[in-house]
Amino acid sequence: MTITKPILSSRVMIDDTVAQLEALIMRGELQPGDRLPEQQLANTLGVSRGPLREAIRTLEGRRLLERTPHAGVRVVQLSLDDLEQLLVMREALEGMACRQAAEQMTVHEIHKLRETAARIEKLINEGSLFIFSGQLDADFHLQIAIGSRNQWIRRLLCEDLYSLLRLYRLHGVRQPDNIALVTAKEHHEIIDRIHARDPDGAEQTMRAHVRHSRDRLLSQIRAAG
Amino acid sequence: MTITKPILSSRVMIDDTVAQLEALIMRGELQPGDRLPEQQLANTLGVSRGPLREAIRTLEGRRLLERTPHAGVRVVQLSLDDLEQLLVMREALEGMACRQAAEQMTVHEIHKLRETAARIEKLINEGSLFIFSGQLDADFHLQIAIGSRNQWIRRLLCEDLYSLLRLYRLHGVRQPDNIALVTAKEHHEIIDRIHARDPDGAEQTMRAHVRHSRDRLLSQIRAAG
DNA sequence: CCTGTTGAGATTGTAGACAAATATGCGACT
DNA sequence: AGTCGCATATTTGTCTACAATCTCAACAGG
């Protein structure tokens, strides 16, 4: 009997379509509120309506798309209140992830985390960090989510929540340097609590970090718009 | 010629199919690990493979089903570790929901919550409450999730998490009466913290409640199997 | 006897056509 | 001129057929 399991090698159009749709949304070519005409989109993506509809269903599950029966599909439009509530949820989930990371992360993972934090700090000192657009900042939180060994929280954060938050196009929201330095300091505190195997402290520190970031972001947006 | 097809409802077939599939899983007619042959299932449910596949995609998004390309779809099989991690996530989310409920719930909602808690206590005193199967207990947590005014946490708890947890078929897990009384006491404490508009206390109390429930459940399962 | 291959059967993935429902636009009537 | 109603058009929802892939058992060879 062959033991080979060609799961990874088999490419399915639907998965590619999901990725392409997600890319279209993230690149802003499909903006919040935009309608998705099935036939036209199918032609554009080079697939039939069947696979496209299944891909749409998948993204509906991630709350990126919303369907009203017989009226079509639209890219979700997040209100400011939605953004706030999503970030509240993030505080709860990342706090718990950080608690578990303090219990579960290996020393090697913690070392890698310090490297990431150091790179972020370096960028801040160079004055070139856009906190909410940086891949590095996302990496920092991603590493902790992975370190929690909680696949359910990790998938929720990485697959669902982060893409939803990116809908708000926070790119270009510039943090004043003094604020960015506070962020860097918080990163170090978080790592210290994880390294000290202090779950309570790790959770509290991460929650404060997410809360601060949320408060600053919301007040910035409210001031701008 | 024209073939009249019986229209089951004004809703779209796909939504009905999602509901029927979910019911099949919850009723145990489709058990964890079971394969879902598309053609056969489509015949059983009286729909074509197209709508069925879209319904399956929807339930995939809720993590109730898992698909491996070209190999079919199966009902998700939760390990004991999965159950523990899901309940850890629940602690974080319900804790935060309870915090927000303490800030947002109306006095009328709090009153309704007290009524639910009273009904639960009454059942306990009659010795007839199966904590983890009771619709009343689910109602208690549901009302708090609604009271949080956080639709994202509420949908995650009610639409995704609760059905996943029900996969474990905790029906019939009998709580000793003295334990059930502790549960009832915790319910009252939670309501008191909400009524006192004490977010910190409400979150801490709810988290302790969920944590205790998790610990008891896991030790019961580990002892049994 | 075991191993690896190969082909038939079954199942999943995709495409295109048909049916149902909603939106649009024109014309008639008040 | 405005509004109601009907017919048309567009879009979504569903079905059937076809193609691609996997499974499994039979079988040839070592």
Side-chain angles (χ1 to χ4, degrees), chain B residues 22-186:
Chain B
E22 202 172 353
L24 281 180
I25 297 172
M26 290 308 151
R27 296 174 61 102
E29 300 180 37
L30 283 174
Q31 294 212 347
D34 279 0
R35 209 152 119 44
L36 280 72
E38 295 184 0
Q39 189 59 61
Q40 177 186 326
L41 244 186
N43 296 340
T44 303
L45 298 180
V47 298
S48 178
R49 281 183 55 219
L52 174 63
R53 282 175 62 90
E54 293 195 32
I56 287 174
R57 288 277 168 191
T58 298
L59 292 182
E60 265 185 273
R62 297 187 194 166
R63 313 282 187 198
L64 271 175
L65 300 177
E66 276 179 339
R67 149 174 271 129
T68 49
H70 299 111
V73 181
R74 293 179 178 279
V75 180
V76 68
Q77 223 165 2
L78 297 179
S79 67
L80 193 55
D81 191 59
D82 282 321
L83 178 62
E84 179 167 8
Q85 299 305 323
L86 280 171
L87 290 170
V88 166
M89 186 168 94
R90 184 186 169 190
E91 179 189 334
L93 290 172
E94 290 219 36
M96 181 59 85
C98 198
R99 162 181 293 271
Q100 296 197 282
E103 296 165 337
Q104 305 278 346
M105 263 184 139
T106 66
V107 286
H108 182 251
E109 285 175 314
I110 297 175
H111 181 69
K112 291 299 225 179
L113 197 58
R114 280 204 196 280
E115 288 180 357
T116 303
R119 277 206 288 277
I120 293 176
E121 196 171 13
K122 183 160 171 287
L123 283 181
I124 292 176
N125 288 332
E126 292 171 355
S128 58
L129 179 61
F130 291 60
I131 280 293
F132 292 105
S133 70
Q135 186 60 42
L136 275 178
D137 192 68
D139 272 356
F140 179 81
H141 291 272
L142 176 65
Q143 286 177 52
I144 292 176
I146 293 173
S148 74
R149 302 290 185 275
N150 191 320
Q151 69 157 332
W152 299 94
I153 291 182
R154 177 181 52 73
R155 288 198 295 197
L156 196 55
L157 286 173
C158 302
E159 296 173 19
D160 299 345
L161 196 49
Y162 289 162
S163 34
L164 267 175
L165 292 177
R166 282 178 60 185
L167 272 187
Y168 237 88
R169 315 237 165 282
L170 307 173
H171 311 266
V173 176
R174 188 74 166 86
Q175 296 294 319
D177 285 351
N178 57 329
I179 296 291
L181 283 175
V182 171
T183 298
K185 190 174 183 58
E186 287 174 343

Side-chain angles (χ1 to χ4, degrees), chain A residues 102-136:
Chain A
E103 296 166 337
Q104 304 279 346
M105 262 184 140
T106 67
V107 286
H108 182 251
E109 285 175 313
I110 297 175
H111 182 68
K112 290 300 223 178
L113 197 57
R114 281 203 195 279
E115 288 181 355
T116 303
R119 277 206 289 276
I120 293 176
E121 196 172 14
K122 184 158 170 288
L123 284 181
I124 292 176
N125 289 331
E126 291 170 357
S128 57
L129 180 60
F130 291 60
I131 281 294
F132 292 107
S133 69
Q135 187 59 44
L136 274 178

Side-chain angles (χ1 to χ4, degrees), chain A residues 124 176-189 209 212 216:
Chain A
I124 292 176
D177 285 352
N178 58 328
I179 295 293
L181 283 174
V182 171
T183 299
K185 191 175 182 58
E186 288 174 343
H187 283 179
H188 286 302
E189 284 180 38
H209 175 59
H212 294 160
R216 284 199 304 271

Side-chain angles (χ1 to χ4, degrees), chain A residues 9 46 51 82 108 114 137 155 161 177 179 184 200-201:
Chain A
S9 63
D82 282 322
H108 182 251
R114 281 203 195 279
D137 192 69
R155 290 197 296 195
L161 197 49
D177 285 352
I179 295 293
D200 286 331

Side-chain angles (χ1 to χ4, degrees), chain A residues 17-59:
Chain A
T17 308
V18 169
Q20 287 187 59
L21 271 183
E22 202 172 354
L24 281 180
I25 297 172
M26 290 308 151
R27 298 173 61 102
E29 299 180 39
L30 282 174
Q31 295 212 346
D34 278 1
R35 205 150 126 40
L36 280 70
E38 294 184 359
Q39 189 59 61
Q40 178 186 325
L41 245 185
N43 296 340
T44 303
L45 298 179
V47 298
S48 180
R49 281 182 56 215
L52 174 62
R53 283 175 61 92
E54 293 195 32
I56 287 175
R57 288 277 166 190
T58 298
L59 292 182

Side-chain angles (χ1 to χ4, degrees), chain A residues 57 60 67 69, chain B residues 9 11-22 51 55 58 62:
Chain A
R57 288 277 166 190
E60 265 185 272
R67 151 174 269 129
Chain B
S9 76
R11 291 167 51 195
V12 266
M13 255 182 204
I14 299 174
D15 294 336
D16 291 334
T17 308
V18 169
Q20 288 188 57
L21 271 183
E22 202 172 353
T58 298
R62 297 187 194 166

